[in-house]
Amino acid sequence: MYQWLLSILVVSLFSLPAWGQDKYSQESLYDKPLMERYVLDELKSLRQEQQDLERRLTIEITDRELAVADKSMNYANVTVTYFFYLIAGAASLFALIGWQSLKEIKEKTKQAADQQLEDIARQYEQKFQLLERDLKRKTRIIAQNNKEIETINEIHNLWLRSQNMQTPEQKIEVYDDILKIRPGDLEALTYKADAAMEIREFNWALGICNRVLDLDPRNAHALYQRACAYACLGSEEQAISDLEQAILHSTSLKELARDEQDFDSLRGHDRFESLIAFTD
């Protein structure tokens, strides 16, 4: 801006003699050195002011840059300080709760994992033990059932065999084989008592019937066979009492008693006749 004003001033000064050259020609000759001196002084003053202005601007810009740099350094310093404080606080927190190192974290994690695996293994071991016991129990039951099935099949074959026997003695032998396999089989005992009656072994048949009735006092077939034995042995009242109990537990025995030859000694007896009498 100062250079522009200086240019205007110089142009104005050198253009003044052209104006009224005729009227002021003498004065211009005397005043020209003074004018040049004035112009030079002004130029020097303007140059100095311009230099001072540039120096002040340079100093002000430099100060501002230094202030900005100082603020940046201060901000960076504060940031780094807070960051280290944060790291130190986190490290202190880890130290307080017991996690002092990565090695300790690894060891505790491994211990926790081992404990978890041990608990899981113990649970599965208990389940496997229960499963093994249950499997053994079921295996034992299956083996017992298989054995029972084999026994039933064998006894069934013996019953079929007894039906094909011709004599009471042969039947008794088969019934004894059944009793060897299953001692105390009440059905086999009653049929053995019946076979003993066929060979006229009344006391033997009576003993067998007593054995059955000791185990099952309401066994109708054993009561009927014992009634037959008593009748053949002459104990009429005991025979009729057993027959009453047999018919009470199994009414179908009434018709069988009507045709039973072992009761021939009881025919004509009032109790016996009323017992086997037809009813509507």
Side-chain angles (χ1 to χ4, degrees), residues 93-113:
L93 181 62
F94 279 118
L96 289 175
I97 62 176
W99 304 99
Q100 298 178 356
S101 63
L102 293 176
K103 182 178 180 181
E104 186 177 356
I105 295 174
K106 182 179 179 181
E107 291 178 354
K108 289 188 175 182
T109 303
K110 185 176 181 300
Q111 291 177 358

mmCIF file with all atom_site columns, all heavy atoms in Angstrom, residues 93-113:
data_model
loop_
_atom_site.group_PDB
_atom_site.id
_atom_site.type_symbol
_atom_site.label_atom_id
_atom_site.label_alt_id
_atom_site.label_comp_id
_atom_site.label_asym_id
_atom_site.label_entity_id
_atom_site.label_seq_id
_atom_site.pdbx_PDB_ins_code
_atom_site.Cartn_x
_atom_site.Cartn_y
_atom_site.Cartn_z
_atom_site.occupancy
_atom_site.B_iso_or_equiv
_atom_site.pdbx_formal_charge
_atom_site.auth_seq_id
_atom_site.auth_comp_id
_atom_site.auth_asym_id
_atom_site.auth_atom_id
_atom_site.pdbx_PDB_model_num
ATOM 1   N N   . LEU A 1 93  ? -5.201  -52.479 39.420 1.00 0.00 ? 93  LEU A N   1
ATOM 2   C CA  . LEU A 1 93  ? -6.445  -53.208 39.579 1.00 0.00 ? 93  LEU A CA  1
ATOM 3   C C   . LEU A 1 93  ? -6.239  -54.706 39.406 1.00 0.00 ? 93  LEU A C   1
ATOM 4   O O   . LEU A 1 93  ? -6.745  -55.518 40.187 1.00 0.00 ? 93  LEU A O   1
ATOM 5   C CB  . LEU A 1 93  ? -7.476  -52.686 38.572 1.00 0.00 ? 93  LEU A CB  1
ATOM 6   C CG  . LEU A 1 93  ? -8.862  -53.330 38.630 1.00 0.00 ? 93  LEU A CG  1
ATOM 7   C CD1 . LEU A 1 93  ? -9.507  -53.073 39.983 1.00 0.00 ? 93  LEU A CD1 1
ATOM 8   C CD2 . LEU A 1 93  ? -9.740  -52.801 37.515 1.00 0.00 ? 93  LEU A CD2 1
ATOM 9   N N   . PHE A 1 94  ? -5.489  -55.076 38.366 1.00 0.00 ? 94  PHE A N   1
ATOM 10  C CA  . PHE A 1 94  ? -5.178  -56.497 38.165 1.00 0.00 ? 94  PHE A CA  1
ATOM 11  C C   . PHE A 1 94  ? -4.409  -57.064 39.349 1.00 0.00 ? 94  PHE A C   1
ATOM 12  O O   . PHE A 1 94  ? -4.617  -58.198 39.763 1.00 0.00 ? 94  PHE A O   1
ATOM 13  C CB  . PHE A 1 94  ? -4.382  -56.695 36.884 1.00 0.00 ? 94  PHE A CB  1
ATOM 14  C CG  . PHE A 1 94  ? -5.222  -56.709 35.649 1.00 0.00 ? 94  PHE A CG  1
ATOM 15  C CD1 . PHE A 1 94  ? -5.055  -55.750 34.661 1.00 0.00 ? 94  PHE A CD1 1
ATOM 16  C CD2 . PHE A 1 94  ? -6.205  -57.667 35.467 1.00 0.00 ? 94  PHE A CD2 1
ATOM 17  C CE1 . PHE A 1 94  ? -5.847  -55.749 33.524 1.00 0.00 ? 94  PHE A CE1 1
ATOM 18  C CE2 . PHE A 1 94  ? -7.003  -57.679 34.334 1.00 0.00 ? 94  PHE A CE2 1
ATOM 19  C CZ  . PHE A 1 94  ? -6.821  -56.720 33.358 1.00 0.00 ? 94  PHE A CZ  1
ATOM 20  N N   . ALA A 1 95  ? -3.512  -56.255 39.909 1.00 0.00 ? 95  ALA A N   1
ATOM 21  C CA  . ALA A 1 95  ? -2.732  -56.727 41.052 1.00 0.00 ? 95  ALA A CA  1
ATOM 22  C C   . ALA A 1 95  ? -3.624  -56.926 42.281 1.00 0.00 ? 95  ALA A C   1
ATOM 23  O O   . ALA A 1 95  ? -3.443  -57.872 43.046 1.00 0.00 ? 95  ALA A O   1
ATOM 24  C CB  . ALA A 1 95  ? -1.618  -55.748 41.367 1.00 0.00 ? 95  ALA A CB  1
ATOM 25  N N   . LEU A 1 96  ? -4.623  -56.045 42.447 1.00 0.00 ? 96  LEU A N   1
ATOM 26  C CA  . LEU A 1 96  ? -5.508  -56.156 43.605 1.00 0.00 ? 96  LEU A CA  1
ATOM 27  C C   . LEU A 1 96  ? -6.378  -57.395 43.542 1.00 0.00 ? 96  LEU A C   1
ATOM 28  O O   . LEU A 1 96  ? -6.659  -58.028 44.564 1.00 0.00 ? 96  LEU A O   1
ATOM 29  C CB  . LEU A 1 96  ? -6.374  -54.895 43.713 1.00 0.00 ? 96  LEU A CB  1
ATOM 30  C CG  . LEU A 1 96  ? -5.635  -53.621 44.145 1.00 0.00 ? 96  LEU A CG  1
ATOM 31  C CD1 . LEU A 1 96  ? -6.584  -52.424 44.094 1.00 0.00 ? 96  LEU A CD1 1
ATOM 32  C CD2 . LEU A 1 96  ? -5.065  -53.760 45.556 1.00 0.00 ? 96  LEU A CD2 1
ATOM 33  N N   . ILE A 1 97  ? -6.873  -57.737 42.370 1.00 0.00 ? 97  ILE A N   1
ATOM 34  C CA  . ILE A 1 97  ? -7.762  -58.899 42.264 1.00 0.00 ? 97  ILE A CA  1
ATOM 35  C C   . ILE A 1 97  ? -6.993  -60.203 42.067 1.00 0.00 ? 97  ILE A C   1
ATOM 36  O O   . ILE A 1 97  ? -7.583  -61.247 41.885 1.00 0.00 ? 97  ILE A O   1
ATOM 37  C CB  . ILE A 1 97  ? -8.766  -58.704 41.116 1.00 0.00 ? 97  ILE A CB  1
ATOM 38  C CG1 . ILE A 1 97  ? -8.046  -58.584 39.765 1.00 0.00 ? 97  ILE A CG1 1
ATOM 39  C CG2 . ILE A 1 97  ? -9.623  -57.489 41.343 1.00 0.00 ? 97  ILE A CG2 1
ATOM 40  C CD1 . ILE A 1 97  ? -8.997  -58.481 38.583 1.00 0.00 ? 97  ILE A CD1 1
ATOM 41  N N   . GLY A 1 98  ? -5.717  -60.152 42.080 1.00 0.00 ? 98  GLY A N   1
ATOM 42  C CA  . GLY A 1 98  ? -4.933  -61.372 42.074 1.00 0.00 ? 98  GLY A CA  1
ATOM 43  C C   . GLY A 1 98  ? -4.344  -61.793 40.747 1.00 0.00 ? 98  GLY A C   1
ATOM 44  O O   . GLY A 1 98  ? -3.568  -62.743 40.687 1.00 0.00 ? 98  GLY A O   1
ATOM 45  N N   . TRP A 1 99  ? -4.712  -61.114 39.689 1.00 0.00 ? 99  TRP A N   1
ATOM 46  C CA  . TRP A 1 99  ? -4.149  -61.472 38.382 1.00 0.00 ? 99  TRP A CA  1
ATOM 47  C C   . TRP A 1 99  ? -2.872  -60.657 38.174 1.00 0.00 ? 99  TRP A C   1
ATOM 48  O O   . TRP A 1 99  ? -2.895  -59.609 37.555 1.00 0.00 ? 99  TRP A O   1
ATOM 49  C CB  . TRP A 1 99  ? -5.152  -61.177 37.275 1.00 0.00 ? 99  TRP A CB  1
ATOM 50  C CG  . TRP A 1 99  ? -6.451  -61.861 37.474 1.00 0.00 ? 99  TRP A CG  1
ATOM 51  C CD1 . TRP A 1 99  ? -7.566  -61.339 37.986 1.00 0.00 ? 99  TRP A CD1 1
ATOM 52  C CD2 . TRP A 1 99  ? -6.734  -63.222 37.181 1.00 0.00 ? 99  TRP A CD2 1
ATOM 53  N NE1 . TRP A 1 99  ? -8.567  -62.276 38.030 1.00 0.00 ? 99  TRP A NE1 1
ATOM 54  C CE2 . TRP A 1 99  ? -8.079  -63.442 37.545 1.00 0.00 ? 99  TRP A CE2 1
ATOM 55  C CE3 . TRP A 1 99  ? -6.006  -64.281 36.651 1.00 0.00 ? 99  TRP A CE3 1
ATOM 56  C CZ2 . TRP A 1 99  ? -8.690  -64.667 37.392 1.00 0.00 ? 99  TRP A CZ2 1
ATOM 57  C CZ3 . TRP A 1 99  ? -6.625  -65.502 36.507 1.00 0.00 ? 99  TRP A CZ3 1
ATOM 58  C CH2 . TRP A 1 99  ? -7.945  -65.681 36.879 1.00 0.00 ? 99  TRP A CH2 1
ATOM 59  N N   . GLN A 1 100 ? -1.789  -61.108 38.704 1.00 0.00 ? 100 GLN A N   1
ATOM 60  C CA  . GLN A 1 100 ? -0.554  -60.336 38.706 1.00 0.00 ? 100 GLN A CA  1
ATOM 61  C C   . GLN A 1 100 ? 0.276   -60.541 37.448 1.00 0.00 ? 100 GLN A C   1
ATOM 62  O O   . GLN A 1 100 ? 1.144   -59.737 37.147 1.00 0.00 ? 100 GLN A O   1
ATOM 63  C CB  . GLN A 1 100 ? 0.283   -60.716 39.928 1.00 0.00 ? 100 GLN A CB  1
ATOM 64  C CG  . GLN A 1 100 ? -0.407  -60.395 41.243 1.00 0.00 ? 100 GLN A CG  1
ATOM 65  C CD  . GLN A 1 100 ? 0.415   -60.821 42.431 1.00 0.00 ? 100 GLN A CD  1
ATOM 66  O OE1 . GLN A 1 100 ? 1.474   -61.430 42.266 1.00 0.00 ? 100 GLN A OE1 1
ATOM 67  N NE2 . GLN A 1 100 ? -0.059  -60.507 43.625 1.00 0.00 ? 100 GLN A NE2 1
ATOM 68  N N   . SER A 1 101 ? 0.019   -61.586 36.716 1.00 0.00 ? 101 SER A N   1
ATOM 69  C CA  . SER A 1 101 ? 0.838   -61.844 35.530 1.00 0.00 ? 101 SER A CA  1
ATOM 70  C C   . SER A 1 101 ? 0.075   -62.743 34.579 1.00 0.00 ? 101 SER A C   1
ATOM 71  O O   . SER A 1 101 ? -0.904  -63.384 34.954 1.00 0.00 ? 101 SER A O   1
ATOM 72  C CB  . SER A 1 101 ? 2.159   -62.507 35.920 1.00 0.00 ? 101 SER A CB  1
ATOM 73  O OG  . SER A 1 101 ? 1.913   -63.770 36.499 1.00 0.00 ? 101 SER A OG  1
ATOM 74  N N   . LEU A 1 102 ? 0.516   -62.771 33.344 1.00 0.00 ? 102 LEU A N   1
ATOM 75  C CA  . LEU A 1 102 ? -0.097  -63.654 32.348 1.00 0.00 ? 102 LEU A CA  1
ATOM 76  C C   . LEU A 1 102 ? 0.109   -65.120 32.717 1.00 0.00 ? 102 LEU A C   1
ATOM 77  O O   . LEU A 1 102 ? -0.734  -65.968 32.435 1.00 0.00 ? 102 LEU A O   1
ATOM 78  C CB  . LEU A 1 102 ? 0.509   -63.366 30.971 1.00 0.00 ? 102 LEU A CB  1
ATOM 79  C CG  . LEU A 1 102 ? 0.176   -61.995 30.369 1.00 0.00 ? 102 LEU A CG  1
ATOM 80  C CD1 . LEU A 1 102 ? 0.914   -61.809 29.048 1.00 0.00 ? 102 LEU A CD1 1
ATOM 81  C CD2 . LEU A 1 102 ? -1.318  -61.858 30.146 1.00 0.00 ? 102 LEU A CD2 1
ATOM 82  N N   . LYS A 1 103 ? 1.210   -65.412 33.365 1.00 0.00 ? 103 LYS A N   1
ATOM 83  C CA  . LYS A 1 103 ? 1.471   -66.783 33.785 1.00 0.00 ? 103 LYS A CA  1
ATOM 84  C C   . LYS A 1 103 ? 0.457   -67.230 34.821 1.00 0.00 ? 103 LYS A C   1
ATOM 85  O O   . LYS A 1 103 ? -0.055  -68.358 34.763 1.00 0.00 ? 103 LYS A O   1
ATOM 86  C CB  . LYS A 1 103 ? 2.884   -66.869 34.353 1.00 0.00 ? 103 LYS A CB  1
ATOM 87  C CG  . LYS A 1 103 ? 3.272   -68.284 34.778 1.00 0.00 ? 103 LYS A CG  1
ATOM 88  C CD  . LYS A 1 103 ? 4.701   -68.319 35.286 1.00 0.00 ? 103 LYS A CD  1
ATOM 89  C CE  . LYS A 1 103 ? 5.088   -69.726 35.722 1.00 0.00 ? 103 LYS A CE  1
ATOM 90  N NZ  . LYS A 1 103 ? 6.478   -69.771 36.236 1.00 0.00 ? 103 LYS A NZ  1
ATOM 91  N N   . GLU A 1 104 ? 0.153   -66.322 35.768 1.00 0.00 ? 104 GLU A N   1
ATOM 92  C CA  . GLU A 1 104 ? -0.835  -66.655 36.788 1.00 0.00 ? 104 GLU A CA  1
ATOM 93  C C   . GLU A 1 104 ? -2.212  -66.840 36.161 1.00 0.00 ? 104 GLU A C   1
ATOM 94  O O   . GLU A 1 104 ? -2.957  -67.742 36.551 1.00 0.00 ? 104 GLU A O   1
ATOM 95  C CB  . GLU A 1 104 ? -0.882  -65.554 37.832 1.00 0.00 ? 104 GLU A CB  1
ATOM 96  C CG  . GLU A 1 104 ? -1.788  -65.864 39.018 1.00 0.00 ? 104 GLU A CG  1
ATOM 97  C CD  . GLU A 1 104 ? -1.756  -64.775 40.063 1.00 0.00 ? 104 GLU A CD  1
ATOM 98  O OE1 . GLU A 1 104 ? -0.971  -63.816 39.884 1.00 0.00 ? 104 GLU A OE1 1
ATOM 99  O OE2 . GLU A 1 104 ? -2.504  -64.886 41.043 1.00 0.00 ? 104 GLU A OE2 1
ATOM 100 N N   . ILE A 1 105 ? -2.546  -65.980 35.187 1.00 0.00 ? 105 ILE A N   1
ATOM 101 C CA  . ILE A 1 105 ? -3.824  -66.122 34.482 1.00 0.00 ? 105 ILE A CA  1
ATOM 102 C C   . ILE A 1 105 ? -3.895  -67.477 33.786 1.00 0.00 ? 105 ILE A C   1
ATOM 103 O O   . ILE A 1 105 ? -4.910  -68.182 33.835 1.00 0.00 ? 105 ILE A O   1
ATOM 104 C CB  . ILE A 1 105 ? -4.013  -64.975 33.472 1.00 0.00 ? 105 ILE A CB  1
ATOM 105 C CG1 . ILE A 1 105 ? -4.133  -63.640 34.208 1.00 0.00 ? 105 ILE A CG1 1
ATOM 106 C CG2 . ILE A 1 105 ? -5.230  -65.202 32.588 1.00 0.00 ? 105 ILE A CG2 1
ATOM 107 C CD1 . ILE A 1 105 ? -4.178  -62.439 33.292 1.00 0.00 ? 105 ILE A CD1 1
ATOM 108 N N   . LYS A 1 106 ? -2.816  -67.849 33.131 1.00 0.00 ? 106 LYS A N   1
ATOM 109 C CA  . LYS A 1 106 ? -2.771  -69.132 32.433 1.00 0.00 ? 106 LYS A CA  1
ATOM 110 C C   . LYS A 1 106 ? -2.930  -70.296 33.405 1.00 0.00 ? 106 LYS A C   1
ATOM 111 O O   . LYS A 1 106 ? -3.682  -71.254 33.150 1.00 0.00 ? 106 LYS A O   1
ATOM 112 C CB  . LYS A 1 106 ? -1.464  -69.240 31.671 1.00 0.00 ? 106 LYS A CB  1
ATOM 113 C CG  . LYS A 1 106 ? -1.319  -70.515 30.862 1.00 0.00 ? 106 LYS A CG  1
ATOM 114 C CD  . LYS A 1 106 ? -0.010  -70.537 30.101 1.00 0.00 ? 106 LYS A CD  1
ATOM 115 C CE  . LYS A 1 106 ? 0.139   -71.829 29.318 1.00 0.00 ? 106 LYS A CE  1
ATOM 116 N NZ  . LYS A 1 106 ? 1.424   -71.869 28.580 1.00 0.00 ? 106 LYS A NZ  1
ATOM 117 N N   . GLU A 1 107 ? -2.230  -70.206 34.553 1.00 0.00 ? 107 GLU A N   1
ATOM 118 C CA  . GLU A 1 107 ? -2.307  -71.286 35.536 1.00 0.00 ? 107 GLU A CA  1
ATOM 119 C C   . GLU A 1 107 ? -3.714  -71.409 36.120 1.00 0.00 ? 107 GLU A C   1
ATOM 120 O O   . GLU A 1 107 ? -4.262  -72.513 36.244 1.00 0.00 ? 107 GLU A O   1
ATOM 121 C CB  . GLU A 1 107 ? -1.292  -71.040 36.651 1.00 0.00 ? 107 GLU A CB  1
ATOM 122 C CG  . GLU A 1 107 ? 0.157   -71.196 36.196 1.00 0.00 ? 107 GLU A CG  1
ATOM 123 C CD  . GLU A 1 107 ? 1.131   -70.887 37.313 1.00 0.00 ? 107 GLU A CD  1
ATOM 124 O OE1 . GLU A 1 107 ? 0.665   -70.441 38.393 1.00 0.00 ? 107 GLU A OE1 1
ATOM 125 O OE2 . GLU A 1 107 ? 2.358   -71.079 37.115 1.00 0.00 ? 107 GLU A OE2 1
ATOM 126 N N   . LYS A 1 108 ? -4.325  -70.252 36.444 1.00 0.00 ? 108 LYS A N   1
ATOM 127 C CA  . LYS A 1 108 ? -5.659  -70.293 37.023 1.00 0.00 ? 108 LYS A CA  1
ATOM 128 C C   . LYS A 1 108 ? -6.682  -70.779 36.004 1.00 0.00 ? 108 LYS A C   1
ATOM 129 O O   . LYS A 1 108 ? -7.610  -71.518 36.346 1.00 0.00 ? 108 LYS A O   1
ATOM 130 C CB  . LYS A 1 108 ? -6.042  -68.915 37.554 1.00 0.00 ? 108 LYS A CB  1
ATOM 131 C CG  . LYS A 1 108 ? -5.256  -68.522 38.798 1.00 0.00 ? 108 LYS A CG  1
ATOM 132 C CD  . LYS A 1 108 ? -5.791  -67.247 39.407 1.00 0.00 ? 108 LYS A CD  1
ATOM 133 C CE  . LYS A 1 108 ? -5.073  -66.922 40.709 1.00 0.00 ? 108 LYS A CE  1
ATOM 134 N NZ  . LYS A 1 108 ? -5.599  -65.697 41.358 1.00 0.00 ? 108 LYS A NZ  1
ATOM 135 N N   . THR A 1 109 ? -6.495  -70.365 34.750 1.00 0.00 ? 109 THR A N   1
ATOM 136 C CA  . THR A 1 109 ? -7.400  -70.854 33.699 1.00 0.00 ? 109 THR A CA  1
ATOM 137 C C   . THR A 1 109 ? -7.265  -72.357 33.527 1.00 0.00 ? 109 THR A C   1
ATOM 138 O O   . THR A 1 109 ? -8.263  -73.077 33.383 1.00 0.00 ? 109 THR A O   1
ATOM 139 C CB  . THR A 1 109 ? -7.090  -70.133 32.382 1.00 0.00 ? 109 THR A CB  1
ATOM 140 O OG1 . THR A 1 109 ? -7.201  -68.726 32.573 1.00 0.00 ? 109 THR A OG1 1
ATOM 141 C CG2 . THR A 1 109 ? -8.055  -70.559 31.290 1.00 0.00 ? 109 THR A CG2 1
ATOM 142 N N   . LYS A 1 110 ? -6.031  -72.841 33.542 1.00 0.00 ? 110 LYS A N   1
ATOM 143 C CA  . LYS A 1 110 ? -5.790  -74.283 33.418 1.00 0.00 ? 110 LYS A CA  1
ATOM 144 C C   . LYS A 1 110 ? -6.386  -75.034 34.605 1.00 0.00 ? 110 LYS A C   1
ATOM 145 O O   . LYS A 1 110 ? -7.004  -76.098 34.438 1.00 0.00 ? 110 LYS A O   1
ATOM 146 C CB  . LYS A 1 110 ? -4.289  -74.550 33.328 1.00 0.00 ? 110 LYS A CB  1
ATOM 147 C CG  . LYS A 1 110 ? -3.932  -76.020 33.075 1.00 0.00 ? 110 LYS A CG  1
ATOM 148 C CD  . LYS A 1 110 ? -2.428  -76.166 32.892 1.00 0.00 ? 110 LYS A CD  1
ATOM 149 C CE  . LYS A 1 110 ? -2.075  -77.634 32.607 1.00 0.00 ? 110 LYS A CE  1
ATOM 150 N NZ  . LYS A 1 110 ? -2.485  -78.531 33.698 1.00 0.00 ? 110 LYS A NZ  1
ATOM 151 N N   . GLN A 1 111 ? -6.231  -74.486 35.814 1.00 0.00 ? 111 GLN A N   1
ATOM 152 C CA  . GLN A 1 111 ? -6.806  -75.132 36.993 1.00 0.00 ? 111 GLN A CA  1
ATOM 153 C C   . GLN A 1 111 ? -8.331  -75.187 36.909 1.00 0.00 ? 111 GLN A C   1
ATOM 154 O O   . GLN A 1 111 ? -8.943  -76.205 37.229 1.00 0.00 ? 111 GLN A O   1
ATOM 155 C CB  . GLN A 1 111 ? -6.374  -74.378 38.250 1.00 0.00 ? 111 GLN A CB  1
ATOM 156 C CG  . GLN A 1 111 ? -4.886  -74.515 38.571 1.00 0.00 ? 111 GLN A CG  1
ATOM 157 C CD  . GLN A 1 111 ? -4.475  -73.692 39.780 1.00 0.00 ? 111 GLN A CD  1
ATOM 158 O OE1 . GLN A 1 111 ? -5.307  -72.989 40.360 1.00 0.00 ? 111 GLN A OE1 1
ATOM 159 N NE2 . GLN A 1 111 ? -3.208  -73.758 40.156 1.00 0.00 ? 111 GLN A NE2 1
ATOM 160 N N   . ALA A 1 112 ? -8.914  -74.046 36.464 1.00 0.00 ? 112 ALA A N   1
ATOM 161 C CA  . ALA A 1 112 ? -10.383 -74.031 36.336 1.00 0.00 ? 112 ALA A CA  1
ATOM 162 C C   . ALA A 1 112 ? -10.853 -75.047 35.300 1.00 0.00 ? 112 ALA A C   1
ATOM 163 O O   . ALA A 1 112 ? -11.846 -75.751 35.505 1.00 0.00 ? 112 ALA A O   1
ATOM 164 C CB  . ALA A 1 112 ? -10.852 -72.630 35.966 1.00 0.00 ? 112 ALA A CB  1
ATOM 165 N N   . ALA A 1 113 ? -10.136 -75.109 34.162 1.00 0.00 ? 113 ALA A N   1
ATOM 166 C CA  . ALA A 1 113 ? -10.514 -76.067 33.119 1.00 0.00 ? 113 ALA A CA  1
ATOM 167 C C   . ALA A 1 113 ? -10.351 -77.510 33.607 1.00 0.00 ? 113 ALA A C   1
ATOM 168 O O   . ALA A 1 113 ? -11.210 -78.368 33.360 1.00 0.00 ? 113 ALA A O   1
ATOM 169 C CB  . ALA A 1 113 ? -9.674  -75.830 31.868 1.00 0.00 ? 113 ALA A CB  1
#
